[in-house]
Amino acid sequence: MSAAGHRFDPSILREYDIRGIVGNTLTASDALALGRTMGTIAVAGSGRIAVVGYDGRMSSPMLEEELCRGLASCGLYVLRIGLVPTPCLYFAAKMLKASLGIMVTGSHNPPEYNGFKMVLNGMPFYGSEIRRLRDLASRGVWARASGGTVETDALGAYASRLSLDYPTKKGLRVGWDPGNGAACPIVLRLAHRLPGEHLLINETVDGTFPAHHPDPTVESNLAQLKDLVLTEKLDVGLAFDGDGDRIGVVDDKGRVIWGDQLLALLARDVLRRMPGSAILADVKASQVLFDEIERLGGKPVMCPTGHSIIKTKMFEHNAPLAGEMSGHIFFADKYYGYDDALYTAVRFLAMVAESGKKASDLLDELPKMVNTPEIRIDVDDKRKFDVIEEVQTRLRDAGADMDDIDGVRVSSTGGWWLLRASNTQPALVARCEAPDDKSLGFLKKELTDQLSLSGIRLQKNSLLAG
């Protein structure tokens, strides 16, 4: 054992992962200390194997090198699978029965960010475990033993596995935008393997993300894909975030199919074969989704937002399918229960092809509500949780019809509004949904009034304004 301690910048220890600005709040020494600490935790549980992957960011190879050095110093045998999307890391860790899997990724954040997502013994490592990691690192009580590293390939096996669940020979005309992120090499393989015609844009890995920000849940980032779909008269367009665990979908009319709408469509296919199953969705999802799951004979379950939380809840409810507004979709039906945007793409394409309908027809079959997209309001990390607490207190005192499993979700005027603190960015997240425009305006005002009472002023062009 050694005792020289390491202190992480508190701002990088998030609820679900570790994430910070490289060279500022996140450094090479953090990666080394993370490796030593996670390695110590793994070997304490008789772990032998760790799998490590990294995304396409400029800083990722450097952080991966130090991380692996730290893991090996604890006696672990480290399998380095190189530049892969995050779901490929999850896949490799599961297939190799690794005790520990760590992905070096800044996910959907801007280029200057990076971080780490972790799985321990097949389960997400988050929340209180990250706080335990912080405390162990500060004490510097690290295991010391002779380990090693070896480079190996996982992309081929992963691409083969994804292709298995496209059972039909009928192909579609598909546009793909991996956004210069880590999904690029897999998208190229899928385009060659799947039937149909495939057009790719932004298919070269570039950690500066020259085309657009790598977050397909922001509609402006889908502009190129929409143009491609409409210009080439494609059946569907698919986009991915920087590390391939968030999906964005555009139908043949160039309309976004949002995460909750996508989940509602996928639930049809799953519940047809597994009637009565629980389907999980996060607190940001449309009431239409929860009603649709019930209509289809499923059991809708509302969860706090967060990919690690939802993965854990899936085990508790034995749920075959779950999802978030943010484009994280989790299949345990025929798959392994983690969020995989590329696998979701394959399942969605297969569903559309086998339905004999257009993606736009499937979308139009869902009940219509008027709603805002997910709106992010920049608020300092230290302030955002206080704002939520203040709003909760005021609403409780006022006797509001409120759900507080994650922030506040208030039912009012035949609809609802939501305000919660982002666990990945210095921001509050808001959303409103109503049966008509007039009711939506009322809900927006309720929400913005609460923000004003906590000193949060919105920009004039905010989607919540007016």
Side-chain angles (χ1 to χ4, degrees):
M1 297 282 186
S2 64
H6 178 87
R7 294 191 181 279
F8 295 102
D9 185 305
S11 70
I12 72 173
L13 301 174
R14 304 300 176 107
E15 182 68 15
Y16 320 128
D17 50 34
I18 293 173
R19 206 173 301 180
I21 300 171
V22 179
N24 183 348
T25 56
L26 180 67
T27 65
S29 62
D30 290 319
L32 177 62
L34 177 67
R36 286 175 168 168
T37 310
M38 289 302 297
T40 299
I41 291 170
V43 298
S46 302
R48 297 292 303 278
I49 297 174
V51 182
V52 174
Y54 62 88
D55 71 10
R57 290 164 189 268
M58 313 302 282
S59 58
S60 291
M62 173 270 293
L63 293 172
E64 187 263 0
E65 182 80 33
E66 291 300 295
L67 171 68
C68 291
R69 189 157 72 90
L71 292 168
S73 74
C74 298
L76 287 173
Y77 187 59
V78 185
L79 303 177
R80 303 169 72 176
I81 61 173
L83 200 164
V84 296
T86 292
C88 182
L89 180 278
Y90 296 153
F91 172 78
K94 188 166 281 286
M95 292 302 102
L96 295 166
K97 296 182 169 59
S99 307
L100 182 62
I102 302 182
M103 180 72 186
V104 181
T105 178
S107 190
H108 59 283
N109 286 96
E112 64 272 19
Y113 280 79
N114 217 324
F116 309 89
K117 293 178 180 177
M118 298 159 283
V119 288
L120 181 67
N121 298 320
M123 295 297 290
F125 189 91
Y126 74 105
S128 62
E129 292 172 306
I130 289 181
R131 292 186 282 278
R132 178 165 70 99
L133 163 76
R134 173 199 64 196
D135 296 341
L136 285 171
S138 68
R139 292 203 297 272
V141 183
W142 291 312
R144 297 290 295 175
S146 181
T149 66
V150 63
E151 294 183 10
T152 187
D153 175 68
L155 282 175
Y158 176 59
S160 296
R161 176 62 190 87
L162 294 181
S163 305
L164 285 179
D165 285 324
Y166 193 93
T168 178
K169 291 182 180 178
K170 182 181 178 183
L172 300 172
R173 301 188 68 241
V174 185
W176 301 79
D177 181 4
N180 303 111
C184 289
I186 288 294
V187 164
L188 287 165
R189 293 182 189 223
L190 288 176
H192 284 106
R193 285 172 177 264
L194 298 179
E197 186 180 347
H198 301 272
L199 281 69
L200 279 60
I201 56 174
N202 307 318
E203 72 275 22
T204 304
V205 176
D206 185 337
T208 66
F209 305 114
H212 56 73
H213 185 69
D215 183 356
T217 65
V218 177
E219 191 162 6
S220 59
N221 297 331
L222 298 173
Q224 281 181 289
L225 184 61
K226 286 182 178 183
D227 287 345
L228 180 69
V229 168
L230 293 173
T231 302
E232 299 293 335
K233 297 181 171 55
L234 303 181
D235 294 312
V236 67
L238 301 164
F240 306 94
D241 72 336
D243 68 327
D245 59 9
R246 291 183 175 209
I247 189 171
V249 182
V250 174
D251 76 3
D252 49 286
K253 293 182 178 179
R255 299 176 300 178
V256 177
I257 300 178
W258 296 105
D260 50 0
Q261 295 172 323
L262 177 62
L263 189 62
L265 297 177
L266 293 168
R268 292 180 179 183
D269 178 49
V270 172
L271 289 171
R272 192 178 298 122
R273 285 176 295 99
M274 304 179 72
S277 297
I279 307 288
L280 279 55
D282 75 323
V283 71
K284 292 181 287 188
S286 168
Q287 189 60 42
V288 167
L289 168 62
F290 296 108
D291 293 345
E292 182 72 359
I293 292 168
E294 200 158 12
R295 185 187 71 80
L296 294 166
K299 298 173 184 171
V301 180
M302 187 185 293
C303 298
T305 292
H307 61 90
S308 298
I309 295 171
I310 288 189
K311 272 178 269 200
T312 303
K313 293 283 186 186
M314 283 184 81
F315 284 102
E316 292 175 13
H317 291 274
N318 194 28
L321 179 66
E324 296 184 274
M325 264 301 290
S326 58
H328 288 271
I329 306 290
F330 312 72
F331 274 97
D333 170 47
K334 301 187 192 177
Y335 204 56
Y336 309 111
Y338 52 74
D339 41 336
D340 188 334
L342 293 144
Y343 180 77
T344 300
V346 172
R347 287 287 293 262
F348 180 70
L349 291 177
M351 187 190 76
V352 174
E354 290 182 313
S355 74
K357 299 179 181 179
K358 294 182 176 180
S360 57
D361 294 334
L362 294 172
L363 180 61
D364 287 339
E365 287 171 4
L366 294 175
K368 293 290 177 287
M369 294 285 277
V370 183
N371 49 38
T372 69
E374 185 178 331
I375 299 164
R376 292 188 175 267
I377 304 155
D378 292 337
V379 177
D380 182 81
D381 269 328
K382 293 174 183 174
R383 175 71 181 128
K384 62 186 182 185
F385 294 107
D386 291 339
V387 171
I388 296 300
E389 210 168 287
E390 292 163 12
V391 173
Q392 285 176 337
T393 299
R394 287 194 295 266
L395 291 170
R396 281 195 200 99
D397 291 346
D401 183 359
M402 175 183 72
D403 190 317
D404 61 359
I405 62 166
D406 182 7
V408 287
R409 179 164 165 147
V410 179
S411 297
S412 176
T413 326
W416 55 272
W417 61 265
L418 171 77
L419 187 69
R420 60 176 293 275
S422 169
N423 278 309
T424 60
Q425 294 174 310
L428 293 170
V429 178
R431 195 178 187 215
C432 306
E433 180 177 80
D436 53 61
D437 287 325
K438 184 177 179 182
S439 300
L440 187 69
F442 183 80
L443 293 173
K444 284 182 179 180
K445 185 174 187 311
E446 278 191 13
L447 202 166
T448 53
D449 284 350
Q450 286 295 330
L451 288 170
S452 295
L453 288 169
S454 286
I456 306 296
R457 299 284 182 266
L458 300 177
Q459 296 178 344
K460 286 184 180 178
N461 62 352
S462 168
L463 291 171
L464 287 174

